[in-house]
Amino acid sequence: MDLKSVEGGNNDGENGLDKSKTEVGVKANTEMGVKAKDVGSVSGKDMFFRADMIDFKSWDVQLEKHLSRVWSRDREAQTKKEEWEIDLAKLDIKSVIAHGTYGTVYHGTYDGQDVAVKVMDWGEDGISTAAESAALRTSFRQEVAVWQKLDHPNVTRFIGASMGTVNLKIPSNTSSDAINSLPTRACSVIVEYLPGGTLKKYLIKNWRKKLAFKVVIQLALDLSRGLSYLHSKKIVHRDVKSENMLLDSRRTLKIADFGVARVEAQNPRDMTGETGTLGYMAPEVLDGKPYNRKCDVYSFGICFWEIYCCDMPYPNLSFADVSSAVVKQNLRPEIPRCCPSSVANIMRKCWDANPEKRPEMDEVVKLLEAIDTNKGGGMIPEDQANGCFCFSAARGP
């Protein structure tokens, strides 16, 4: 068949042809180096080419150039790092600090400075689905993008993060199977290393003699200022507890572990679910109701009590009993009789069952700053001349 016979057929349907497909084919052939002179005469309406007249060698050259450009763009996208992403080759891990629900925390150095490294392997345990794993990694990127911009003396300083562990060097003596079990796609966060350890360990250490009142207020102020700063940035921590607070060499408290932290939703209904640690969780969170930053205020109230008493809340109750009693019976830790009214009032306001009645964290900061610690803060009430026997030993050094 020559081109003239083809041009004589005006009915596309009779020739089994589709005009739109023909036009697309013409465009593609033109882009791939097929010139009009290569194929002889053509029709303005329906253009076809003789296969023996097409320069396939030119097609191959053009295709190779096109694929090269695509591959170059893909490689560039893969190698392009986020501004918060670190070079794992500069990270030297020394020892294990702790094992947690979502991974392991190590002590190491990065670029000459002491750091703590939290390697999170959620979504890579063979249990989570591919979709769940992808969602967790996307959420991780979003949260890290927020945390890297935070700068406050009572918030652990963020140094960087990584979305993979290919170049992560973990000494074999840190864990017998750490290297073999660590997923290559696990995520890691690197923050400043704080040698004072967790607030929880510090309180346990001082369980018998308790803390001096000035120390109690100082720790509470550090925590309240850190939370006030986070809330000013529209960030809800959602897991405020003594175990997630760290101390530096000067006993300055810094908020850490932002594993479940998130940017506060505009609509409280978008933030639901039991997120946090039982004993510190607000009633609305335990009950699965919508919540906001006021859940952190409730948790602060429990932490304040814990700092004052150097004890654990609800030590004799099971998790199930605590959950039910906090929601249905308004259960709260028992405030010692020797506790100054200024302190007790802050605790009660913070753990009010109604989130709207709880103060904002910046208000709590002002209330704490107004407390006079020069005279012991009223540790011994006026009607107890012989002293307070709420604790078995004197408070503080």
Side-chain angles (χ1 to χ4, degrees):
M1 177 185 295
D2 58 23
L3 289 175
K4 290 182 180 179
S5 63
V6 175
E7 292 172 356
N10 294 326
N11 190 327
D12 292 343
E14 292 177 0
N15 291 291
L17 302 170
D18 184 277
K19 184 177 180 180
S20 62
K21 292 181 180 178
T22 303
E23 292 172 349
V24 173
V26 171
K27 182 179 180 181
N29 291 333
T30 302
E31 289 179 350
M32 296 304 289
V34 181
K35 308 298 182 183
K37 65 179 181 180
D38 297 329
V39 296
S41 60
V42 293
S43 165
K45 181 179 179 182
D46 298 307
M47 187 177 291
F48 300 94
F49 301 106
R50 284 175 49 180
D52 62 338
M53 299 298 291
I54 296 176
D55 185 356
F56 285 105
K57 184 177 181 180
S58 177
W59 277 30
D60 291 340
V61 172
Q62 294 296 326
L63 180 59
E64 187 175 348
K65 289 181 179 180
H66 174 71
L67 292 177
S68 178
R69 287 195 298 269
V70 173
W71 288 332
S72 295
R73 286 198 299 268
D74 288 345
R75 284 196 300 269
E76 185 178 334
Q78 291 173 2
T79 57
K80 183 180 179 181
K81 289 187 176 183
E82 302 281 358
E83 57 181 329
W84 44 261
E85 198 161 2
I86 67 163
D87 181 1
L88 289 177
K90 296 180 180 179
L91 180 63
D92 183 22
I93 291 180
K94 297 179 179 179
S95 59
V96 174
I97 297 176
H99 293 283
T101 305
Y102 295 107
T104 304
V105 180
Y106 301 92
H107 176 210
T109 58
Y110 180 75
D111 224 6
Q113 60 181 318
D114 270 352
V115 296
V117 185
K118 184 173 184 179
V119 180
M120 294 168 284
D121 54 7
W122 33 240
E124 306 291 340
D125 52 12
I127 299 175
S128 301
T129 65
E132 290 171 336
S133 176
L136 284 167
R137 291 173 68 81
T138 298
S139 177
F140 176 82
R141 282 182 176 275
Q142 294 171 343
E143 296 301 338
V144 167
V146 173
W147 288 118
Q148 60 136 353
K149 298 176 182 177
L150 300 181
D151 183 17
H152 190 273
N154 298 120
V155 175
T156 305
R157 182 167 57 87
F158 175 90
I159 294 174
S162 175
M163 294 294 289
T165 60
V166 176
N167 296 319
L168 186 61
K169 302 183 294 291
I170 299 181
S172 57
N173 61 352
T174 59
S175 177
S176 58
D177 59 350
I179 298 177
N180 295 328
S181 63
L182 194 63
T184 57
R185 288 174 57 81
C187 301
S188 54
V189 176
I190 295 85
V191 298
E192 65 175 317
Y193 174 71
L194 299 173
T198 67
L199 173 62
K200 182 176 182 178
K201 289 183 178 180
Y202 180 71
L203 297 178
I204 292 174
K205 180 181 177 182
N206 290 276
W207 176 72
R208 289 190 176 278
K209 64 178 182 178
K210 311 305 177 184
L211 298 177
F213 190 59
K214 285 187 176 181
V215 176
V216 170
I217 300 304
Q218 173 249 313
L219 292 173
L221 265 173
D222 284 349
L223 177 52
S224 62
R225 286 168 177 158
L227 287 174
S228 178
Y229 171 76
L230 294 181
H231 290 181
S232 72
K233 300 296 182 181
K234 305 298 181 184
I235 294 172
V236 184
H237 190 281
R238 303 202 299 173
D239 198 14
V240 175
K241 59 181 179 180
S242 58
E243 194 172 0
N244 284 343
M245 307 302 145
L246 301 175
L247 303 176
D248 67 8
S249 57
R250 298 182 178 180
R251 204 176 56 218
T252 299
L253 182 149
K254 299 193 178 191
I255 299 172
D257 202 333
F258 304 118
V260 297
R262 62 173 294 178
V263 176
E264 185 174 26
Q266 294 294 322
N267 186 346
R269 293 185 179 85
D270 292 336
M271 294 182 67
T272 58
E274 292 187 8
T275 300
T277 302
L278 281 168
Y280 300 87
M281 292 166 65
E284 65 271 20
V285 179
L286 286 169
D287 207 21
K289 295 179 179 178
Y291 62 90
N292 56 21
R293 62 189 175 281
K294 292 297 185 71
C295 70
D296 284 350
V297 179
Y298 177 94
S299 301
F300 168 83
I302 302 297
C303 282
F304 193 12
W305 177 92
E306 194 175 359
I307 293 170
Y308 182 84
C309 297
C310 287
D311 205 352
M312 293 178 59
Y314 324 118
N316 301 318
L317 295 179
S318 67
F319 286 165
D321 290 338
V322 169
S323 179
S324 176
V326 166
V327 176
K328 299 178 181 178
Q329 302 170 27
N330 205 33
L331 174 69
R332 301 293 185 273
E334 183 179 355
I335 299 177
R337 289 182 295 113
C338 66
C339 183
S341 58
S342 57
V343 171
N345 288 339
I346 294 175
M347 293 179 186
R348 293 191 182 99
K349 287 179 180 180
C350 288
W351 65 41
D352 194 290
N354 185 348
E356 295 182 1
K357 292 184 178 180
R358 297 173 203 156
E360 296 287 352
M361 284 311 307
D362 58 350
E363 297 177 46
V364 175
V365 171
K366 293 177 182 178
L367 291 171
L368 288 168
E369 289 175 338
I371 294 177
D372 181 9
T373 60
N374 292 327
K375 297 180 181 180
M379 287 300 298
I380 302 176
E382 294 180 358
D383 60 346
Q384 290 183 259
N386 295 326
C388 176
F389 298 96
C390 293
F391 300 101
S392 58
R395 289 189 68 93

